[in-house]
């Protein structure tokens, strides 16, 4: 290897080492905020779990016995007009 290749290799390895060291430092510093968020989340979940759920009875749909049921409008029975065929682009030939 030439002198320039060796220096380039050393620079690349040093950059990788700095990136790895930076990621380790950010992970260790970020744990304090993550722990606080976890505690807040646990408190919230315990509050939500301890509240009583109020369930309302489902409403029954009562129809009057003397009323007529409404019919839905049926779609027209007329046939739809046929669509014109699409034009086909020619395929380039090589």
């Amino acid at each position: 290897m030439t002198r320039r290749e060796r220096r380039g290799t050393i620079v690349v390895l040093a950059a990788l080492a700095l990136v790895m060291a930076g990621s380790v430092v950010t992970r260790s510093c970020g744990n304090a905020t993550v722990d606080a968020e976890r505690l807040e989340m646990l408190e919230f979940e315990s509050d939500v779990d301890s509240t009583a759920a109020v369930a309302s009875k489902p409403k029954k749909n009562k129809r009057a016995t003397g009323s007529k049921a409404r019919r839905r409008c049926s779609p027209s029975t007329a046939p739809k007009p046929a669509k014109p065929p699409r034009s086909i682009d020619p395929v380039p030939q090589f």
Side-chain angles (χ1 to χ4, degrees):
M1 290 178 68
T2 64
R3 178 179 282 179
R4 293 182 108 183
E5 290 174 340
R6 282 182 281 182
R7 285 184 182 168
T9 304
I10 292 171
V11 169
V12 169
L13 291 175
L16 286 174
L18 287 174
V19 168
M20 290 176 62
S23 66
V24 169
V25 169
T26 55
R27 284 184 187 172
S28 65
C29 291
N31 286 343
T33 58
V34 172
D35 291 338
E37 290 176 3
R38 284 184 187 167
L39 289 175
E40 290 178 13
M41 192 61 149
L42 289 173
E43 288 177 15
F44 173 75
E45 287 178 353
S46 65
D47 290 342
V48 171
D49 289 340
S50 64
T51 58
V54 178
S56 60
K57 292 182 180 179
K59 295 181 180 180
K60 294 183 178 178
N61 190 5
K62 294 182 180 178
R63 290 187 179 181
T65 56
S67 67
K68 294 181 180 179
R70 290 186 180 181
R71 292 186 180 179
R72 293 184 181 177
C73 295
S74 62
S76 65
T77 57
K80 293 182 181 179
K83 293 182 181 178
R86 292 179 22 183
S87 62
I88 299 174
D89 296 333
V91 179
Q93 297 185 3
F94 298 100

